[in-house]
Amino acid sequence: MLDRLKIMDERYEEINRLLLDTEVVSNIKLLTELSKEQRGLEKAVMLYREQIKLEEAIPDLKEMKNSSDAEMSEMASIELDQAIERIAQIEEEVKILLLPKDPNDEKNVIVEIRGAAGGDEANIFAGDLFRMYSKYSESKGWKIEVLDAMPSEMGGYSQIQFKVSGEMVYSYLKYESGAHRVQRVPVTEAQGRIHTSTSTVLVMPEATEIDFELDMNELRIDTFCSSGPGGQGVNTTYSAVRVTHVPTGMYVACQIHRSQHENKATALALLKTRMYDQMMHEKEMQEGAERQSLIGRGDRSEKIRTYNYPQNRVTDHRIGFTINRLDAIIDGKLDLVIEELINEDQKRKLSSGQSLKL
């Protein structure tokens, strides 16, 4: 492990030198890649350097511990114990840092929530999930931008797509893809019976020019009249845009902006992200066994979590985790569940030596 850390330390210093090179500074793509690589190395390198300093100090502390000066001996003994304990802590921290990294962890994400089984109640719950992610993002200092939305007459959304921007967004939200099940008495239920409904969540890392580039010659762009709230321009101007990737038939539509130009830009970004997500999915399927993770990014049909309102209970079925804090979680304190998922993910990686693909 120390040999690997030494190599990382040398690479970290090499990147520092490269980032001062005028040719690198003028190459935005290379500058971005090197800066990202440096950030990925930094924490492990700093811990490695701390460990080296502590190990270098140990011989002197041992010598001072054997001093005839009682006060000096006691002080050295305390510092020696602290140094040995800290080295052990560093080794455990580094083990986690050296686990295989998901290359998308630092990316922003595009999230799509749909009401699924349960009619109006499913749409209302989709709105609750959007509020939960909005509050969670606010607590993390992330920014949310709604890209497209189809409000439901009874409340919530039949579908809503939004972008979450900030630090390490995908590393937290990647666990959220799948079917979310709610058990409660719907506002639409006159007899007070508990219903079970589902909404689906899809979390996609935002594709960048470095990841994926659309061939504009393969796209068909159609315009149509917007529908729903929006003022005088609705149903009178062709501001809504649908972009179709002709070879695959994949398409996205956007009508949230008043401007056709803005809707087109948003639709292109959504399509690029969807195609990048599909490309990753196909690669993971080819890798076979590496996708067999219980904490893997679920398909929309895969039930990942149940929210039971009468018992104030949330259960994540992938790790068998249950907590009676539904009120807090639905109010945005989602780390109560996500931290458990991250810890379990890391524990499985350490025990199996394999990366849990998402």
Side-chain angles (χ1 to χ4, degrees):
M1 188 168 69
L2 287 175
D3 288 341
R4 184 176 170 189
L5 288 167
K6 183 179 180 182
I7 292 170
M8 292 170 70
D9 187 35
E10 291 170 352
R11 176 59 178 165
Y12 184 83
E13 285 303 313
E14 181 184 10
I15 293 174
N16 277 339
R17 292 192 295 271
L18 287 170
L19 291 175
L20 297 175
D21 189 299
T22 53
E23 290 186 11
V24 172
V25 173
S26 62
N27 185 331
I28 300 301
K29 182 177 179 180
L30 180 57
L31 182 66
T32 302
E33 290 175 347
L34 287 173
S35 298
K36 181 179 178 180
E37 183 183 356
Q38 186 187 52
R39 288 195 303 272
L41 293 170
E42 188 167 23
K43 191 168 183 180
V45 168
M46 294 302 109
L47 286 171
Y48 168 68
R49 292 179 179 179
E50 182 184 354
Q51 181 174 346
I52 294 299
K53 286 183 179 180
L54 289 169
E55 289 178 345
E56 289 174 347
I58 283 177
D60 290 337
L61 289 172
K62 285 182 176 179
E63 185 176 340
M64 291 168 63
K65 183 180 177 181
N66 296 325
S67 170
S68 57
D69 185 321
E71 186 177 346
M72 180 180 291
S73 175
E74 182 181 359
M75 186 180 298
S77 179
I78 293 171
E79 290 185 13
L80 179 60
D81 289 343
Q82 289 175 341
I84 292 172
E85 183 181 351
R86 178 55 184 153
I87 288 171
Q89 289 175 349
I90 289 172
E91 287 175 348
E92 290 304 310
E93 290 179 41
V94 167
K95 283 180 185 177
I96 300 294
L97 291 172
L98 293 184
L99 288 170
K101 294 288 191 300
D102 186 328
N104 293 308
D105 273 352
E106 295 185 6
K107 292 188 187 309
N108 299 328
V109 302
I110 290 176
V111 183
E112 179 182 284
I113 305 175
R114 291 175 181 264
D120 290 332
E121 168 64 1
N123 294 340
I124 292 169
F125 183 52
D128 294 338
L129 291 176
F130 173 62
R131 178 179 176 274
M132 177 182 75
Y133 292 125
S134 297
K135 299 276 281 186
Y136 181 60
S137 298
E138 182 182 348
S139 72
K140 292 284 188 185
W142 299 338
K143 176 185 175 184
I144 279 193
E145 176 189 358
V146 175
L147 302 176
D148 201 22
M150 296 178 64
S152 172
E153 289 184 6
M154 296 298 295
Y157 301 92
S158 59
Q159 176 183 335
I160 183 168
Q161 296 179 83
F162 55 97
K163 177 179 174 181
V164 186
S165 308
E167 186 176 351
M168 303 293 290
V169 178
Y170 187 71
S171 69
Y172 291 92
L173 292 183
K174 64 184 176 183
Y175 300 102
E176 294 303 295
S177 287
H180 294 241
R181 184 173 71 170
V182 61
Q183 295 173 327
R184 66 185 177 187
V185 179
V187 293
T188 55
E189 168 59 50
Q191 299 180 22
R193 293 174 300 184
I194 295 174
H195 286 222
T196 298
S197 305
T198 57
S199 296
T200 60
V201 176
L202 177 62
V203 178
M204 300 173 286
E206 184 185 28
T208 65
E209 295 297 335
I210 295 173
D211 301 317
F212 188 84
E213 189 170 354
L214 284 174
D215 184 347
M216 297 300 290
N217 294 319
E218 296 181 342
L219 304 181
R220 185 178 71 245
I221 300 175
D222 303 305
T223 58
F224 56 97
C225 293
S226 299
S227 60
Q232 295 180 349
V234 174
N235 293 323
T236 61
T237 61
Y238 287 83
S239 59
V241 175
R242 180 186 297 107
V243 180
T244 304
H245 183 247
V246 176
T248 63
M250 186 179 293
Y251 71 92
V252 297
C254 183
Q255 61 175 9
I256 199 165
H257 307 293
R258 291 183 180 273
S259 159
Q260 183 185 115
H261 176 75
E262 289 180 303
N263 282 327
K264 178 182 175 182
T266 298
L268 287 171
L270 285 169
L271 181 61
K272 182 186 295 184
T273 292
R274 282 188 176 279
M275 293 188 69
Y276 177 59
D277 184 69
Q278 180 65 25
M279 185 175 70
M280 288 195 306
H281 178 74
E282 290 172 356
K283 180 183 176 183
E284 290 161 359
M285 292 299 290
Q286 290 171 1
E287 291 170 354
E290 287 191 16
R291 259 190 75 84
Q292 296 177 6
S293 161
L294 293 179
I295 315 181
R297 191 188 65 178
D299 295 323
R300 279 204 177 125
S301 59
E302 181 186 342
K303 181 182 71 178
I304 65 166
R305 195 175 296 149
T306 295
Y307 304 74
N308 184 296
Y309 275 72
Q311 298 179 26
N312 196 36
R313 185 183 70 221
V314 173
T315 299
D316 195 287
H317 304 288
R318 294 164 294 180
I319 60 173
F321 174 72
T322 296
I323 182 171
N324 293 93
R325 297 283 307 278
L326 183 150
D327 52 344
I329 290 167
I330 209 72
D331 197 41
K333 295 179 175 60
L334 195 52
D335 272 334
L336 291 169
V337 178
I338 288 180
E339 286 182 359
E340 293 293 329
L341 288 162
I342 292 173
N343 291 337
E344 181 65 20
D345 194 10
Q346 291 175 342
K347 185 166 72 175
R348 294 182 187 185
K349 287 176 184 177
L350 287 169
S351 62
S352 68
Q354 293 180 347
S355 170
L356 298 184
K357 287 290 181 181
L358 292 145

